[in-house]
Amino acid sequence: MLNLKKNTSFINGQWLMSQTNTYPVFNPANAQEVSQVLKCGAEETEQAIVAADHALATWKTTLAAERSQVLRRWGELMLEYRQQLAEILVEEQGKPLAEALGEVAYAASFFEWFAEEAKRNYGDIIPTFKAQTKIMVTKEPVGVVAAITPWNFPLAMVTRKVAPALAAGCTMILKPSEETPLSAFALAVLAEQAGVPAGVFNIVSGNAIEIGKTLQSSEKVKKISFTGSTATGKLLMRQAADTLKKTSFELGGNAPFIVFEDADLEAAVQGAMASKYRNTGQTCVCVNRFYIHEKVYESFIELLSAEVKKLKVGQGFVDGVTQGPLINQAAITKVQRHIDDALAKGGSIVTGGKPHQLGGLFYEPTIIQHANDQMLVAHEETFGPVAACFSFASDEEAIALANNTQYGLSAYFYTKDLKRTWWVAEQLQVGMVGINEGIISTAVAPFGGVKESGFGREGSKYGLEEYQNIKYILLGGLA
Ligand code: ADP
């Protein structure tokens, strides 16, 4: 049995030793310290860049089949260590154990998928424009990649980047969220075991700003792949301009969930529960705005409220718990601010609406009715367990409301009408649409947004391209 509990960064196949400069990682469920973690900065980041650059020379020339085998093994190991990984997730992130086990499987699926895609990295032969020549198109790894990931899915947001990057032949420096670095460290233990060569996957955790600047100013780093807030994404894009890095940004969302008058309400409520309250509302594809046709508004809220009352809030290891704590005090403050603002502007509470009696970072699952477009919940991502319910009268109005946001990540709608299905799916300004489905994330489909939710796609056949450059080769002098 491997020990997955590490508390330090991983560079060039080595676990950093110096423990003089550390910072605490807390369990959001009880404010207890889970571990002290080495705080890295510019110096360690430089070392990681050198290591990744050095390792690139060999890794990019390995056979796709060899890279595929290593990635497949890494994913298998995740499943062998599923329980241990899930426990680390619960401790540092707070999600219920069942969700944590789900995240491990989801995270591992990216290794399986990209182990397969690595082998199908085909180029093109194009009918040529000139006699005695041939045109070929090949795909090459972009080189050293920097990945910056958030705390809401501490494993899956990492594997979604590292699996395609390594499949393409790139090497990586990962800066995980300083709030949840332990899951990333555990992943590195398994990387070693799977046979990922030294320097191919490096982790630097600590001072985000310093690490970020060092990665971004380096000419050796050719690409940045970021998942996090839109504000940080904009900053990172500006920083990436100086060295013209290739970029992929998966940023904030403000997902609408439209329930038309002909919808199967029971199914819509099931979808709403899964999409809104998963991870205590802390996912970028969580519903932020429910638009309910006025004819079914009251029935929908009644059914939703009955389900919300069944949710069990508590510590992630407690049996039957479905709602963990929020990640930190800032998250609680934002949830409360959105609710207070909605109440001041004409909304009312159906259920919840205040901190949970467990105290700390626990908050009651909440439904707000009579929401309107003036409220903060209409325009900002709440990132918490708050369902704001708006009503609408026509399809055109629903679309206009749904699109009235700077974000464009995911959208959901429920209807049985075929004509409406196609029209609405086309009108929605988003990267992903769930129709009569509340959960859309999978390794086999392209995940990503439009507008200020970013660009680039993760997972699917498109996910590999984010880590590749296309090369056109004109071969002349032929017979
Ligand atoms: P969230 O609000 O979800 O924490 P952030 O965008 O702040 O979203 O954080 C996502 C990731 O971005 C984390 O790993 C965080 O450390 C990192 N991050 C935040 N600010 C910077 C920065 N200035 N430079 C580099 N990374 C940053």
Side-chain angles (χ1 to χ4, degrees):
M1 266 310 204
L2 295 166
N3 176 11
L4 301 190
K5 294 204 168 167
K6 293 282 184 185
N7 62 355
T8 182
S9 286
F10 182 71
I11 298 173
N12 205 20
Q14 306 287 319
W15 295 95
L16 296 192
M17 295 301 280
S18 158
Q19 296 295 337
T20 47
N21 188 8
T22 64
Y23 71 96
V25 171
F26 291 106
N27 180 337
N30 56 18
Q32 303 276 310
E33 187 179 303
V34 181
S35 181
Q36 283 286 329
V37 169
L38 178 70
K39 187 169 189 177
C40 293
E43 192 184 327
E44 293 83 1
T45 311
E46 292 288 1
Q47 289 169 17
I49 295 170
V50 170
D53 189 48
H54 182 74
L56 178 69
T58 311
W59 182 249
K60 71 178 180 188
T61 61
T62 52
L63 289 177
E66 288 171 40
R67 296 199 298 276
S68 172
Q69 235 166 30
V70 170
L71 291 174
R72 181 175 294 280
R73 183 73 195 120
W74 198 354
E76 287 167 355
L77 282 165
M78 285 189 77
L79 296 179
E80 282 169 36
Y81 284 87
R82 188 171 179 183
Q83 184 69 26
Q84 289 92 323
L85 288 168
E87 287 173 10
I88 294 172
L89 282 174
V90 176
E91 280 175 11
E92 68 173 350
Q93 201 276 344
K95 65 181 66 187
L97 184 61
E99 280 195 29
L101 288 165
E103 179 178 347
V104 178
Y106 173 54
S109 72
F110 287 97
F111 285 125
E112 184 192 354
W113 176 263
F114 285 107
E116 292 160 352
E117 286 301 291
K119 294 182 285 188
R120 313 204 201 307
N121 174 30
Y122 306 134
D124 286 315
I125 304 279
I126 296 177
T128 190
F129 68 106
K130 189 177 175 196
Q132 298 173 344
T133 68
K134 297 279 181 204
I135 294 176
M136 285 170 288
V137 175
T138 62
K139 293 175 187 162
E140 298 184 341
V142 292
V144 175
V145 174
I148 299 183
T149 53
W151 49 262
N152 59 346
F153 291 92
L155 284 175
M157 295 304 100
V158 175
T159 59
R160 197 152 85 165
K161 298 187 190 306
V162 70
L166 268 53
C170 299
T171 57
M172 176 171 276
I173 301 140
L174 166 71
K175 193 208 80 60
S177 166
E178 46 286 358
E179 258 148 336
T180 56
L182 304 174
S183 300
F185 297 156
L187 213 49
V189 175
L190 299 180
E192 276 188 293
Q193 187 72 10
V196 175
V200 168
F201 176 57
N202 310 275
I203 303 179
V204 194
S205 181
N207 183 333
I209 294 176
E210 205 175 302
I211 296 168
K213 272 193 190 150
T214 312
L215 290 169
Q216 293 277 55
S217 58
S218 169
E219 284 176 10
K220 291 197 171 84
V221 176
K222 302 298 185 201
K223 152 130 196 155
I224 164 118
S225 177
F226 170 70
T227 300
S229 63
T230 294
T232 304
K234 288 181 181 177
L235 171 79
L236 294 176
M237 188 153 170
R238 276 185 220 112
Q239 288 180 347
D242 280 345
T243 52
L244 278 180
K245 293 190 201 320
K246 194 172 163 101
T247 50
S248 304
F249 289 133
E250 200 266 274
L251 309 175
N254 181 8
F257 185 108
I258 309 171
V259 182
F260 290 97
E261 71 274 24
D262 67 330
D264 174 341
L265 283 194
E266 301 275 346
V269 167
Q270 289 314 313
M273 291 301 295
S275 177
K276 174 66 257 184
Y277 293 99
R278 194 162 61 106
N279 211 16
T280 320
Q282 303 172 110
T283 89
C284 48
V285 290
C286 272
V287 180
N288 207 48
R289 301 168 291 151
F290 285 94
Y291 293 110
I292 318 295
H293 192 277
E294 57 189 16
K295 283 195 191 140
V296 293
Y297 189 74
E298 274 165 28
S299 335
F300 178 83
I301 289 181
E302 201 173 307
L303 289 169
L304 185 67
S305 148
E307 289 303 309
V308 168
K309 285 179 185 151
K310 291 183 198 158
L311 292 173
K312 186 169 167 191
V313 177
Q315 210 262 4
F317 288 119
V318 175
D319 234 15
V321 159
T322 55
Q323 294 286 284
L326 292 179
I327 191 70
N328 53 31
Q329 192 52 46
I332 293 276
T333 306
K334 185 171 194 189
V335 163
Q336 194 61 57
R337 185 162 58 87
H338 279 195
I339 292 176
D340 292 346
D341 170 78
L343 296 183
K345 292 174 181 163
S348 63
I349 300 284
V350 178
T351 183
K354 55 183 190 307
H356 194 271
Q357 61 191 26
L358 285 171
L361 301 175
F362 291 100
Y363 203 92
E364 290 180 350
T366 299
I367 301 176
I368 296 173
Q369 62 181 351
H370 309 309
N372 64 55
D373 219 32
Q374 308 309 311
M375 296 173 181
L376 288 175
V377 285
H379 303 287
E380 286 182 15
E381 189 177 31
T382 307
F383 233 61
V386 181
C389 298
F390 307 70
S391 75
F392 70 89
S394 70
D395 290 17
E396 288 73 16
E397 185 189 1
I399 292 295
L401 288 165
N403 286 339
N404 185 21
T405 169
Q406 90 228 51
Y407 298 104
L409 194 58
S410 62
Y412 310 84
F413 66 91
Y414 278 69
T415 182
K416 290 185 202 136
D417 183 316
L418 187 58
K419 222 162 93 182
R420 172 186 277 150
T421 297
W422 193 248
W423 184 76
V424 174
E426 278 193 338
Q427 295 303 311
L428 289 167
Q429 297 164 355
V430 292
M432 298 173 282
V433 182
I435 306 169
N436 300 326
E437 291 286 340
I439 298 282
I440 51 175
S441 303
T442 163
V444 312
F447 191 106
V450 298
K451 293 160 83 175
E452 292 194 13
S453 290
F455 42 79
R457 292 294 179 267
E458 298 192 295
S460 79
K461 66 174 180 177
Y462 306 103
L464 197 64
E465 295 170 4
E466 301 285 329
Y467 297 92
Q468 295 175 320
N469 290 326
I470 285 177
K471 183 178 274 178
Y472 148 48
I473 301 170
L474 176 66
L475 177 60
L478 302 175

